[in-house]
Amino acid sequence: MNKLFRTVLKFAPAWLLLIGGASIAMGQAAKLQLDQLDALANRAGETVDVKLDEHLMQTTAKFFSGKDSDDAEIRELIKNVKGIYVKSFTFDKENEYSPAEVESVMSQLRGGGWSKVISITSKKDGDNVAVYLLTVGDQIGGLAVVSIEPKEFTVGNIVGPIDLEKLTQLEGSFGVPFLNLPPAKPKTGK
C-alpha cells in the first residue's frame, strides 16, 4: 500500500501541471460516477480512493502562496480544476473484478463528448491502458485514464480544463509519458 501511495504522490505534480487553460462551464459530464466500484475494496489487497472536489481543490490552492514562482504556477494551474478522482484496486489473484464492473466505467466514456486518444494493450502481460479526453466545443474539459491489468483496476478522472500545449511540453518529465500528440498548429496573423 505504501508503494502505491508513493506512486500516486510521485505523479501528483504531473497531474497538477496537466491542468490549465481557459475556464470552461462544466457540468457533471466530465465527472465519472465511480461509487459503484466501492464494493471492489472488499476483494482488493490494496485500495486507493482519492476524492478532491472543487472545494478541496480551492482549499489546496490556498497553500500555494504565490510568492515563489513555482507556487504561483501551481496555484494558477489548479484554480480551474473542478476535481480529481482516483479509484485503484490491487488484488492478490487475477480477475477479481468482473467485466460488469469495468463496463460500468467504460459505458460512461462512450459518446457524450469523450474521445479515446491513447490506447496501450499488452497481450503478453494482459495490461490495457486507455486515455480519454472530454471535449466541449474546441476546449478540453476533462481527462480520464483507465488501467485494466490482471491483478489491478484503476480509474483516474480530472474534471476541468486541460491545456494540451502544456501537456506536450511535459512529455518525459514528472512521469508524463511521451504521448506523440501532434504539435499545435501555428497561429497566423492573417
Side-chain angles (χ1 to χ4, degrees):
M1 178 74 149
N2 195 13
K3 179 182 172 190
L4 186 57
F5 185 70
R6 273 189 257 129
T7 302
V8 169
L9 288 178
K10 181 173 112 179
F11 290 104
W15 282 90
L16 290 175
L17 290 171
L18 292 175
I19 311 305
S23 179
I24 300 173
M26 290 300 306
Q28 291 297 318
K31 183 178 184 283
L32 298 176
Q33 297 303 314
L34 302 176
D35 291 340
Q36 74 279 10
L37 300 178
D38 289 344
L40 288 174
N42 295 331
R43 291 177 259 158
E46 295 180 6
T47 302
V48 174
D49 190 2
V50 177
K51 294 179 183 176
L52 296 174
D53 63 12
E54 186 172 10
H55 173 72
L56 286 172
M57 294 304 300
Q58 298 311 316
T59 302
T60 302
K62 292 177 185 175
F63 289 108
F64 297 97
S65 64
K67 295 176 183 174
D68 177 306
S69 64
D70 290 339
D71 281 0
E73 185 175 331
I74 292 171
R75 187 177 186 149
E76 180 65 26
L77 291 171
I78 66 174
K79 77 176 185 180
N80 293 321
V81 175
K82 305 296 183 215
I84 297 176
Y85 305 92
V86 177
K87 292 226 185 241
S88 182
F89 306 94
T90 304
F91 305 95
D92 296 328
K93 297 184 281 184
E94 291 186 6
N95 303 316
E96 286 289 311
Y97 54 89
S98 71
E101 290 161 326
V102 173
E103 179 60 22
S104 73
V105 174
M106 301 308 289
S107 65
Q108 297 177 63
L109 297 169
R110 289 190 200 101
W114 287 102
S115 301
K116 186 189 300 186
V117 294
I118 298 172
S119 181
I120 303 168
T121 303
S122 171
K123 290 181 182 181
K124 177 182 174 187
D125 298 327
D127 299 350
N128 298 292
V129 179
V131 178
Y132 294 81
L133 294 177
L134 174 71
T135 54
V136 179
D138 62 347
Q139 300 290 320
I140 296 171
L143 174 97
V145 178
V146 180
S147 175
I148 303 167
E149 301 176 21
K151 292 185 175 182
E152 188 174 333
F153 180 46
T154 302
V155 180
N157 181 214
I158 298 174
V159 180
I162 298 180
D163 185 339
L164 279 182
E165 189 171 316
K166 288 183 181 179
L167 176 62
T168 58
Q169 291 173 357
L170 293 173
E171 288 179 330
S173 302
F174 300 102
V176 177
F178 287 95
L179 302 173
N180 297 321
L181 296 172
K185 294 180 182 177
K187 295 181 181 179
T188 58
K190 296 181 183 179

